[in-house]
Amino acid sequence: MLKAGIIGLPNVGKSSLFSLLTLNDVVIANYPFATIDPNIGIASVNDSRLKALAKFFNSKKVIPAIVKFWDIAGLVQDASEGAGLGNKFLAHIREANVLIHIVRSFSNKEVTHVHENLNPLWDFQIIYRELSLADLVTINKHLAYLKKMQHAQNSMDSDSFQQIEFISKIKQLLNDQKLIFQLNLSKQEEEWIRPLNLLSYKKMLVVINVDAADSVHLSKNKPLTQFIDYLTKEKINYLTISIEYELALRKMSQSEKESYQEEFCLKGEDHLQLIKKTHQLLNLGTFFTAGPVETKAWSFVKGSNARTCSGLIHTDFAKGFIRCEVIFYNSLLEFNSELDSRNAGKMASVGQDYKVQDGDVCHFLFK
């Protein structure tokens, strides 16, 4: 299963966010490196389509799609040189498919900040710099290898030259602290860079952990607005959330929640939006299997074919795949029953190479 790694400096709210998203109780402490080995958990994707389908089929059981999160220990400045067990933590980050980078903007004297003063932009740049420095080690090794192979072959074909030129360009961008995860690369360039598994090239969502008041009045916090301006200028995906506030809501009764939210004009559902954004960042879509017994949402990598998606349900489905009967979500709900939608010609019978679409309601037939 693809996974999202939660990263950031110590004491920014990583473990608190992990607990909020996954409903798991983890060590949350006011000192660096309270987490050493990654906490692993799953979070349900809130999808209104799932509820509508379950109602349509009168399903007894409803199962949402999920996202897997890793709570990775806090990095510090010079982590790329081993500071704060940095090499171990960087190795954990390398295993993640996308990064959820938490940046602190909340003020709490009881929770120490590793650099004393709150400066979200500076904190973000420290972490990205450490990822870049670790990647420079990888890049330099790879360049040395490419040049060695070129020398051994005693030739300079066009592909080799272009690859060395491209990797050298990435090296310069990393030296200049440029955001390489924002690059639009060609298919060939993607093939050259993918095997390197660069930390700074992983897709990233920045989560700004704010005070509850700042989640409503962002403009009153100047360092925060400057950071948001930077993220907007660089076209970096971001989300503001008061993790402490949303954790507090989880412990309240429904009436207490409603009263508290009304008093402070707060919603308290930003973590659900975070899960959805992470699902999208992982390049995942959702298909459904539905019936009176169970309606279930399945996460799949966009572009996957019908046979691959059937294997997510059970490997036997993929091995003995015959065909897939597909109704698109919107088409199904136009009718009073599944039979009506079939009779109206809204169901397609497709083969193994059909590219499953987000929102497809699938019935797989296998032998």
Side-chain angles (χ1 to χ4, degrees):
M1 183 190 297
L2 300 178
K3 50 186 174 284
I6 302 174
I7 67 169
L9 290 169
N11 296 346
V12 297
K14 295 184 303 299
S15 295
S16 296
L17 177 64
F18 177 84
S19 178
L20 177 65
L21 296 175
T22 65
L23 305 180
N24 285 343
D25 292 324
V26 296
V27 175
I28 300 172
N30 180 25
Y31 56 86
F33 315 124
T35 302
I36 294 181
D37 294 318
N39 296 306
I40 304 172
I42 59 173
S44 300
V45 180
N46 188 38
D47 193 327
S48 59
R49 298 174 300 180
L50 180 68
K51 298 171 185 175
L53 284 171
K55 184 177 180 181
F56 182 86
F57 285 96
N58 195 25
S59 305
K60 295 178 181 177
K61 195 174 182 181
V62 182
I63 304 175
I66 59 173
V67 174
K68 189 174 184 179
F69 286 95
W70 272 33
D71 171 24
I72 299 171
L75 290 174
V76 294
Q77 193 164 348
D78 299 325
S80 57
E81 298 176 8
L85 298 178
N87 290 328
K88 182 177 181 180
F89 299 160
L90 287 166
H92 292 154
I93 294 172
R94 204 172 295 282
E95 294 183 50
N97 301 98
V98 301
L99 303 179
I100 309 301
H101 183 177
I102 303 190
V103 179
R104 175 174 171 175
S105 182
F106 67 87
S107 55
N108 186 334
K109 293 180 180 179
E110 295 180 3
V111 180
T112 58
H113 188 284
V114 289
H115 299 127
E116 296 185 7
N117 297 320
L118 285 177
N119 188 328
L121 178 56
W122 188 32
D123 291 353
F124 170 83
Q125 291 173 332
I126 285 173
I127 293 296
Y128 190 76
R129 176 177 176 273
E130 294 307 319
L131 300 182
S132 299
L133 288 173
D135 284 342
L136 279 169
V137 175
T138 302
I139 287 282
N140 284 328
K141 288 180 180 178
H142 190 59
L143 275 175
Y145 167 77
L146 291 175
K147 291 175 181 178
K148 182 179 178 181
M149 292 298 294
Q150 178 193 95
H151 180 73
Q153 295 169 1
N154 195 26
S155 66
M156 189 59 163
D157 61 77
S158 177
D159 284 348
S160 296
F161 177 80
Q162 289 177 15
Q163 185 175 0
I164 289 173
E165 190 177 54
F166 168 70
I167 297 298
S168 298
K169 174 188 170 184
I170 297 297
K171 177 181 177 178
Q172 187 58 54
L173 291 172
L174 289 171
N175 275 319
D176 294 341
Q177 296 295 293
K178 299 298 183 182
L179 303 175
I180 67 168
F181 64 86
Q182 296 290 72
L183 294 176
N184 291 316
L185 303 181
S186 68
K187 186 176 180 180
Q188 177 64 78
E189 290 170 339
E190 280 281 0
E191 290 177 2
W192 285 334
I193 201 173
R194 190 182 302 115
L196 302 180
N197 194 17
L198 299 181
L199 304 175
S200 54
Y201 187 61
K202 294 179 184 290
K203 292 181 181 179
M204 181 183 292
L205 172 65
V206 174
V207 176
I208 312 172
N209 189 6
V210 299
D211 290 312
D214 283 337
S215 65
V216 180
H217 306 291
L218 294 177
S219 61
K220 294 184 178 181
N221 184 325
K222 190 173 180 180
L224 175 57
T225 55
Q226 288 175 339
F227 182 44
I228 289 175
D229 287 344
Y230 166 81
L231 296 174
T232 303
K233 179 183 176 184
E234 296 293 341
K235 298 180 181 178
I236 300 172
N237 288 320
Y238 76 91
L239 188 69
T240 59
I241 179 173
S242 175
I243 298 171
E244 181 182 30
Y245 162 68
E246 295 209 15
L247 278 173
L249 282 184
R250 202 174 76 180
K251 299 175 182 177
M252 297 180 187
S253 66
Q254 188 59 36
S255 59
E256 288 174 327
K257 282 182 187 179
E258 291 172 359
S259 175
Y260 194 79
Q261 289 171 326
E262 183 178 352
E263 182 179 353
F264 294 99
C265 300
L266 298 167
K267 291 183 179 179
E269 297 178 345
D270 291 328
H271 71 285
L272 300 179
Q273 184 66 19
L274 194 161
I275 296 170
K276 267 190 176 181
K277 281 181 174 285
T278 303
H279 196 255
Q280 294 165 358
L281 203 63
L282 285 164
N283 195 33
L284 297 176
T286 303
F287 73 86
F288 304 92
T289 53
V293 175
E294 174 186 284
T295 291
K296 184 169 182 176
W298 300 85
S299 296
F300 71 100
V301 177
K302 290 181 179 178
S304 298
N305 62 32
R307 180 187 286 273
T308 299
C309 287
S310 71
L312 297 175
I313 300 174
H314 199 288
T315 53
D316 287 347
F317 282 29
K319 291 176 182 176
F321 184 94
I322 299 175
R323 68 179 186 276
C324 176
E325 295 179 342
V326 179
I327 310 176
F328 195 69
Y329 165 79
N330 289 335
S331 297
L332 182 63
L333 296 189
E334 289 176 5
F335 299 90
N336 294 321
S337 69
E338 185 179 12
L339 180 60
D340 288 343
S341 67
R342 285 173 183 264
N343 293 337
K346 296 296 184 179
M347 176 175 284
S349 182
V350 300
Q352 64 178 8
D353 295 327
Y354 168 75
K355 300 295 184 184
V356 175
Q357 303 298 306
D358 182 64
D360 278 352
V361 182
C362 298
H363 177 59
F364 296 103
L365 287 84
F366 68 104
K367 56 185 176 184

